[in-house]
Structure formats: structure tokens, C-alpha cells
């Protein structure tokens, strides 16, 4: 098979129709929960004026990226199961890889920026408004998008210039490790190099976040007010939790050995890093963040009042 092939065959969850229905229902539940939760975060930040701060500006962008991330892979998987097919076109696979890596890189970058934001707010509060002003935040988000698009383009180019010796992808969407597995032997060195480079950058982000939070928690413990310490912890812990879930599930999924015959365990592991973090983000931030709770309760209160008026 050469790289002019018109389509790939994705992993078929099961030939049993009942199990396919379970697969569809599971994906739809995860997808609808992710979309709903992140839309609530976006709506709350947009309409609640008190949340118009850099931290929530980054959180809103993170929610947008999470919606994009799951939308790249889940609808196609559900459509294939509904229609009882397992194909994806060559161009569709290229688009899936590009957008998936774009949103994935955006997530890592935004979580790193949010750690930096917390560091400035707690360790250098007097200069916070000067450093994290609207113009600076907009430039940071623009930089995230440009860097993410560049990273996604590099992965896509170096993956698909490689000739493939098979057209069977043992995953329910086009994922680079599984594409490299079907590449002709010895012809995927370039993409492997890009993957290693991205892994090093991701590790760098992880170390940066850890070092940042060491300084943050050291500063928090020196706050004399118990209420002040509690507020600082409640704004930092959700972010650290989200970042840890995202990193550890992703590392486990990419570092595990890939079997020649896919299993339901492989499917669950992939779900754990590609969908679950995006789904959990709104719940983690809502449960641990008092400002988000207040904003959501007021938003629901206004919606309920308007509904009663109608």
C-alpha cells in the first residue's frame, strides 16, 4: 500500500450489534457531558462580569479547546458505529490528525499558561495587572494557537509523507502511534523525531508547572490569613488536578506497548486520555472554585426566572 490510498480501516469495536449500541451510547454520554460542561464554563465566564480576569479567560479558552478535541474524534466514531462501517478517507485521516494535535497542544500550552498566571498572582501580586493585562493575555493565546498549529502541521506532514504498508489502524480514530505502526519499516524516522521533540517539550511544560507550584505553595503557606490560604489553594488545586490527569493518562497511553490485536482495554485507555480529561475539567473547576459556583448558581437562577416568566 502506498500513501495514495484513498481510505483507512479503523478498529471495529465489535461485530455484535448489541455491543455496538453500547459503544455508541457510551461515546454519546461522554461527548454530550463534555460539550455541556464546557459550554457552561464558556457561558458563565462570558456573562458573569466578575470572571473577566486572565485566569478565567484562559479557562474559557481551555473549555473551547476541549470541545474541539472531543469533536474531532467522537462524532466520526459514533457515525461509523451507527452505519456499521469502519472506514475513514485518507484526507479525513489527515484532517483528524491535524486538528487532534492542534487541540491537544493547545490544552498543554494553556494549562502551562494557567500555572504561570497563578504564579504571578500569588508570588508577585503587585505587578499582576501590569504583567497579565488584556493585551499580554491576547498575545499569549495567539502564540498558543500559532505554536499549536505549527506543531500539528509538522506531525501531519512527517506522518503522511511516510509510505504505509497496511491500511488497518488498530484504533477508533487516526492516532499517530498507530499510524507509525503500519508505516513501512525504516521509513518513519522523521515523524519519530518530531514525536520525541514534542514529548521533550511536553515534559518541559510538566517540569515548569511543578516548579511553578512549588513556589506557589511555598508562598501560600506564608499567607498569614487562613481564609487567604484557603482561597489560594482552591484556585490552584483544580488546575494542578486537571494538569496531572491530562499528563499521566496521556503518558500512559503513549508509552504503553501497542498490541497487534486491539483489545477493549486499549479502547478504555485511549478514552481515559483523549476524552475523560476534557470531560472532567468543568466538574473539577466547578467543585473546587467558589467564584465558578456562584456564577453558575446565578446563571441558573436567571435562566429559571426567565423560564417561569415565559
Amino acid at each position: 500500500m502506498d500513501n495514495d490510498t484513498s481510505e483507512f480501516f479503523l478498529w471495529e469495536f465489535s461485530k455484535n450489534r448489541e455491543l455496538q449500541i453500547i459503544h455508541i451510547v457510551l461515546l454519546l454520554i461522554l461527548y454530550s457531558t463534555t460539550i455541556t460542561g464546557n459550554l457552561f464554563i464558556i457561558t458563565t465566564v462570558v456573562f458573569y462580569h466578575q470572571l473577566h480576569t486572565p485566569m478565567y479567560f484562559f479557562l474559557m479558552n481551555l473549555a473551547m479547546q476541549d470541545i474541539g478535541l472531543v469533536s474531532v474524534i467522537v462524532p466520526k466514531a459514533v457515525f461509523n458505529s451507527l452505519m456499521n462501517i469502519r472506514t475513514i478517507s485518507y484526507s479525513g485521516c489527515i484532517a483528524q490528525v491535524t486538528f487532534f494535535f492542534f487541540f491537544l497542544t493547545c490544552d498543554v500550552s494553556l494549562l502551562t499558561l494557567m500555572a504561570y498566571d497563578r504564579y504571578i498572582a500569588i508570588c508577585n501580586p503587585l505587578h499582576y495587572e501590569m504583567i497579565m493585562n488584556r493585551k499580554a493575555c491576547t498575545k499569549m493565546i495567539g502564540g498558543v494557537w500559532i505554536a499549536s498549529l505549527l506543531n500539528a502541521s509538522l506531525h501531519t506532514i512527517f506522518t503522511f509523507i511516510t509510505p504505509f504498508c497496511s491500511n488497518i489502524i488498530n484504533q477508533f480514530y487516526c492516532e499517530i502511534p498507530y499510524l507509525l505502526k503500519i508505516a513501512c519499516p525504516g521509513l518513519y524516522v522523521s515523524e519519530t523525531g518530531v514525536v520525541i521533540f514534542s514529548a521533550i517539550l511536553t515534559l518541559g511544560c510538566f517540569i515548569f508547572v511543578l516548579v511553578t507550584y512549588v513556589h506557589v505553595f511555598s508562598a501560600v503557606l506564608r499567607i498569614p490569613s487562613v481564609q487567604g490560604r484557603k482561597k489560594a489553594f482552591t484556585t490552584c488545586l483544580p488546575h494542578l488536578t486537571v494538569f496531572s490527569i491530562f499528563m499521566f493518562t496521556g503518558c500512559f497511553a503513549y508509552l504503553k506497548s501497542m498490541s497487534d490485536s486491539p483489545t477493549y482495554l486499549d479502547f478504555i485507555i485511549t478514552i481515559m486520555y483523549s476524552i475523560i480529561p476534557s470531560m472532567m475539567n468543568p466538574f473539577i473547576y466547578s467543585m473546587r472554585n467558589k467564584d465558578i459556583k456562584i456564577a453558575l448558581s446565578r446563571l441558573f437562577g436567571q435562566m429559571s426566572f426567565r423560564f417561569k416568566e415565559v
Side-chain angles (χ1 to χ4, degrees), residues 176-231:
I176 284 182
Y178 290 89
L179 285 166
L180 294 182
K181 193 172 179 63
I182 64 173
C184 295
L187 296 177
Y188 54 86
V189 177
S190 297
E191 172 55 19
T192 303
V194 176
V195 169
I196 293 172
F197 178 70
S198 294
I200 293 171
L201 288 180
T202 304
L203 179 62
C205 290
F206 182 64
I207 293 172
F208 175 83
V209 170
L210 287 181
V211 172
T212 297
Y213 272 106
V214 167
H215 290 287
V216 166
F217 288 135
S218 298
V220 168
L221 293 174
R222 291 196 297 269
I223 297 175
S225 165
V226 175
Q227 191 65 27
R229 286 200 300 270
K230 184 178 179 182
K231 184 176 181 180

Side-chain angles (χ1 to χ4, degrees), residues 65-134:
Q65 309 304 334
D66 284 337
I67 289 174
L69 186 66
V70 295
S71 297
V72 168
I73 59 177
V74 175
K76 176 61 178 174
V78 170
F79 176 79
N80 278 12
S81 290
L82 279 173
M83 302 303 294
N84 200 21
I85 59 176
R86 51 180 297 204
T87 58
I88 183 170
S89 66
Y90 187 80
S91 58
C93 195
I94 291 175
Q96 204 170 60
V97 168
T98 302
F99 285 109
F100 182 77
F101 256 88
F102 171 74
F103 291 122
L104 197 67
T105 308
C106 280
D107 269 15
V108 175
S109 303
L110 280 168
L111 289 169
T112 305
L113 280 180
M114 290 170 75
Y116 176 71
D117 172 75
R118 291 299 83 205
Y119 170 77
I120 299 297
I122 293 172
C123 298
N124 199 3
L126 296 178
H127 296 92
Y128 180 76
E129 291 187 4
M130 181 179 68
I131 297 172
M132 301 300 293
N133 56 63
R134 180 174 294 183

